[in-house]
Amino acid sequence: MNKTFNLLFFIKKNKIRTNGTAPIYLRITIDGKAADIAAKRYIHPKKWDNKAHQAIGNSQEAKTLNVYLKTLEQEVYDSHYLMVKEANNLTAVSLKSKLLGTDIQQRMLIPIFQDHNDKVEALVGQDFALGTLERYKTSLKHTQEFLNWKYKISDIDITKIDHAFIMDYDFWLRSVRKCANNTAVKYIKNFKKIIRLCIANGWLSKDPFLGYKAKLKVVERPYLIKEEIQTIYEKEFASDRLNQVRDIFLFSCYTGLAYVDVKKLSKSHVNLGIDGDKWIFTHRQKTDTSTRIPLLPLAQELILKYEGHPECVNLNVLFPVLSNQKMNSYLKEIANVCGINKELTFHIARHTFATTVTLSNGVPIESVSKMLGHTNIKTTQHYAKILDKKVSDDMLELRSKLQDRKCNCN
């Protein structure tokens, strides 16, 4: 909707100074409402033309003053044009604020970070996992501690966050907090998301991360070999709880499902696949990607084993899964009893599926990636290790093919 817009210069005769000059003001009127801005110039009332709204005469003094007033007038028109173009709330007061620079609000980092975390928390279970929220909470806590350590303040204006701030934060994480490289990079990555939000909202004009480079180092992920899986499978434990944890862990070894995805499985997730056999159809909670996994015989056997378990029946789940912390605690005990010299965690099952169960048995990495619910092969390569035996088998097959071609040529 068009707004009426008028400008005029005038002098305030009620503010005449001792030397007889009066201040010149510019009046902005939009839709009948006015706001006055001091032009920071003075003139004797007798030298002012009230009808033309400018200085009288052709003296150098009058010409210089009128050029200045025209320049100021043009600045107002330019600001008015920008505000109309940007669809800002246009009033005489808001236009005055823009001209004076008082429209720029001071935005502090911590409330912006907290608002982001509040929104993540509201979407836990829909767009975000609980673990994601916890990581952002920890990242906010680290940011507050860094501000106190470096600047002795509890908050900072986001416009004061520069490249030096990022480098100092990185140094603090690695030295004071003693974070390993990958942990430090992940916390900085969380912080970078907040900076990107500020840039997207137009609160920051320059990216303080320009020139900052930090890479995740490849970490050797442990996995179980075939013999270790067999040892765990054949072991009978004195405790029913240990047997249950063992079974659920093995199920993950043969499906590649993460802890949180195994925990939520119900009978509705088991259906007939394209081959007419039973498959798991689910969505990974972490990435919300669709996952379809053919059930290997041992996995089907374990599902049947717990079909009548009271907890499974009451909660409509496939397995009586404990908390992740308790599962990992029992897995350490299982490793100790089985003589496996590895720090056994539930997540190792996922790496075991990728490496020992599938890739080492000739399943293409593209299929492994699909079953793991990854969106790209690079992620899968962090999980699946190509073992020397697999390389040997592949090369043996290649030698055989080349030998056959040689024979056919003779």
Side-chain angles (χ1 to χ4, degrees), residues 159-405:
T159 59
K160 294 181 180 178
I161 298 174
D162 54 13
H163 182 73
F165 181 100
I166 305 301
M167 296 304 294
D168 287 339
Y169 191 12
D170 182 281
F171 171 78
W172 179 82
L173 286 168
R174 296 170 189 272
S175 60
V176 179
R177 290 297 309 177
K178 301 191 184 305
C179 294
N181 177 77
N182 288 6
T183 304
V185 171
K186 287 176 182 178
Y187 282 131
I188 290 290
K189 184 180 178 182
N190 289 342
F191 184 74
K192 188 175 183 178
K193 184 184 178 185
I194 306 304
I195 296 300
R196 287 204 310 268
L197 283 174
C198 294
I199 294 172
N201 283 311
W203 302 333
L204 279 179
S205 58
K206 187 177 180 181
D207 185 358
F209 276 93
L210 285 175
Y212 171 82
K213 291 184 179 179
K215 292 184 178 180
L216 292 170
K217 293 180 180 177
V218 177
V219 178
E220 285 298 321
R221 311 274 185 177
Y223 58 89
L224 297 181
I225 61 174
K226 180 181 176 182
E227 291 74 17
E228 290 169 332
I229 298 173
Q230 192 65 29
T231 299
I232 293 175
Y233 175 75
E234 293 175 350
K235 188 72 177 178
E236 277 300 321
F237 301 95
S239 163
D240 288 338
R241 186 55 59 90
L242 282 179
N243 285 320
Q244 286 181 17
V245 171
R246 183 268 316 276
D247 290 343
I248 299 166
F249 174 76
L250 286 175
F251 179 81
S252 183
C253 285
Y254 281 87
T255 59
L257 288 170
Y259 165 83
V260 68
D261 298 317
V262 173
K263 187 176 177 65
K264 70 178 183 180
L265 284 180
S266 66
K267 286 183 179 180
S268 64
H269 291 110
V270 181
N271 291 288
L272 293 181
I274 194 171
D275 57 1
D277 207 346
K278 290 182 178 180
W279 287 40
I280 290 284
F281 293 82
T282 186
H283 277 76
R284 286 205 65 208
Q285 182 168 308
K286 183 177 180 180
T287 59
D288 196 36
T289 52
S290 175
T291 305
R292 296 175 175 84
I293 308 163
L295 283 172
L296 295 170
L298 186 122
Q300 293 192 44
E301 173 190 316
L302 291 170
I303 290 175
L304 287 172
K305 183 175 180 179
Y306 289 90
E307 196 172 32
H309 190 283
E311 186 176 331
C312 296
V313 174
N314 292 334
L315 299 177
N316 188 33
V317 291
L318 291 186
F319 297 100
V321 182
L322 305 174
S323 71
N324 199 16
Q325 186 179 8
K326 287 183 179 178
M327 292 287 286
N328 286 333
S329 177
Y330 283 123
L331 283 170
K332 286 178 176 58
E333 189 175 339
I334 288 171
N336 185 52
V337 172
C338 293
I340 296 172
N341 190 27
K342 292 175 182 175
E343 190 174 348
L344 205 57
T345 64
F346 198 90
H347 201 63
I348 284 180
R350 198 161 156 79
H351 293 281
T352 300
F353 172 79
T355 301
T356 307
V357 175
T358 55
L359 198 62
S360 295
N361 285 309
V363 179
I365 195 167
E366 292 82 4
S367 297
V368 177
S369 183
K370 182 73 174 175
M371 288 186 284
L372 288 174
H374 291 158
T375 54
N376 60 70
I377 298 295
K378 269 191 174 182
T379 308
T380 311
Q381 288 170 339
H382 291 308
Y383 279 81
K385 303 298 179 213
I386 299 177
L387 306 179
D388 289 345
K389 183 179 182 302
K390 179 69 169 59
V391 173
S392 174
D393 291 343
D394 290 343
M395 291 304 290
L396 190 63
E397 184 178 346
L398 177 60
R399 286 193 191 97
S400 178
K401 288 179 179 178
L402 292 175
Q403 187 63 36
D404 288 343
R405 289 177 187 173

Side-chain angles (χ1 to χ4, degrees), residues 42-54:
Y42 295 84
I43 192 171
H44 197 283
K46 289 183 179 180
K47 296 181 179 181
W48 181 257
D49 188 333
N50 288 318
K51 290 184 178 180
H53 310 294
Q54 64 179 19

Side-chain angles (χ1 to χ4, degrees), residues 7-252:
L7 299 177
L8 67 87
F9 288 99
F10 67 99
I11 60 172
K12 285 193 176 182
K13 294 181 180 180
N14 62 342
K15 290 189 175 183
I16 294 177
R17 299 190 298 178
T18 54
N19 64 359
T21 59
I24 302 173
Y25 275 79
L26 170 62
R27 176 163 290 164
I28 302 169
T29 306
I30 297 178
D31 284 352
K33 294 183 178 180
D36 296 342
I37 299 176
K40 297 181 181 179
R41 292 293 185 275
Y42 295 84
I43 192 171
H44 197 283
K46 289 183 179 180
K47 296 181 179 181
W48 181 257
D49 188 333
N50 288 318
K51 290 184 178 180
H53 310 294
Q54 64 179 19
I56 299 171
N58 292 316
S59 67
Q60 188 59 45
E61 182 184 10
K63 287 181 179 179
T64 301
L65 177 58
N66 287 336
V67 168
Y68 171 79
L69 296 180
K70 277 292 181 183
T71 303
L72 179 57
E73 185 181 55
Q74 189 58 50
E75 286 182 15
V76 178
Y77 279 118
D78 290 343
S79 295
H80 175 266
Y81 172 77
L82 286 174
M83 291 187 73
V84 170
K85 187 179 179 182
E86 294 169 359
N88 286 336
N89 179 32
L90 183 58
T91 65
V93 173
S94 66
L95 182 52
K96 176 183 176 179
S97 295
K98 186 170 184 64
L99 286 162
L100 297 178
T102 56
D103 62 323
I104 301 173
Q105 297 180 5
Q106 185 183 42
R107 298 187 185 276
M108 305 303 285
L109 173 64
I110 301 305
I112 294 171
F113 208 141
Q114 185 61 59
D115 179 65
H116 165 270
N117 288 4
D118 290 342
K119 288 174 180 174
V120 171
E121 186 168 12
L123 294 173
V124 167
Q126 299 177 52
D127 296 340
F128 299 98
L130 183 60
T132 302
L133 172 63
E134 292 305 320
R135 283 192 293 275
Y136 276 116
K137 282 184 174 180
T138 304
S139 186
L140 172 56
K141 179 172 173 286
H142 285 341
T143 302
Q144 290 171 309
E145 290 175 358
F146 167 69
L147 287 173
N148 182 59
W149 175 81
K150 178 66 180 178
Y151 305 101
K152 301 296 185 289
I153 56 176
S154 59
D155 206 349
I156 189 171
D157 186 329
I158 59 170
T159 59
K160 294 181 180 178
I161 298 174
D162 54 13
H163 182 73
F165 181 100
I166 305 301
M167 296 304 294
D168 287 339
Y169 191 12
D170 182 281
F171 171 78
W172 179 82
L173 286 168
R174 296 170 189 272
S175 60
V176 179
R177 290 297 309 177
K178 301 191 184 305
C179 294
N181 177 77
N182 288 6
T183 304
V185 171
K186 287 176 182 178
Y187 282 131
I188 290 290
K189 184 180 178 182
N190 289 342
F191 184 74
K192 188 175 183 178
K193 184 184 178 185
I194 306 304
I195 296 300
R196 287 204 310 268
L197 283 174
C198 294
I199 294 172
N201 283 311
W203 302 333
L204 279 179
S205 58
K206 187 177 180 181
D207 185 358
F209 276 93
L210 285 175
Y212 171 82
K213 291 184 179 179
K215 292 184 178 180
L216 292 170
K217 293 180 180 177
V218 177
V219 178
E220 285 298 321
R221 311 274 185 177
Y223 58 89
L224 297 181
I225 61 174
K226 180 181 176 182
E227 291 74 17
E228 290 169 332
I229 298 173
Q230 192 65 29
T231 299
I232 293 175
Y233 175 75
E234 293 175 350
K235 188 72 177 178
E236 277 300 321
F237 301 95
S239 163
D240 288 338
R241 186 55 59 90
L242 282 179
N243 285 320
Q244 286 181 17
V245 171
R246 183 268 316 276
D247 290 343
I248 299 166
F249 174 76
L250 286 175
F251 179 81
S252 183

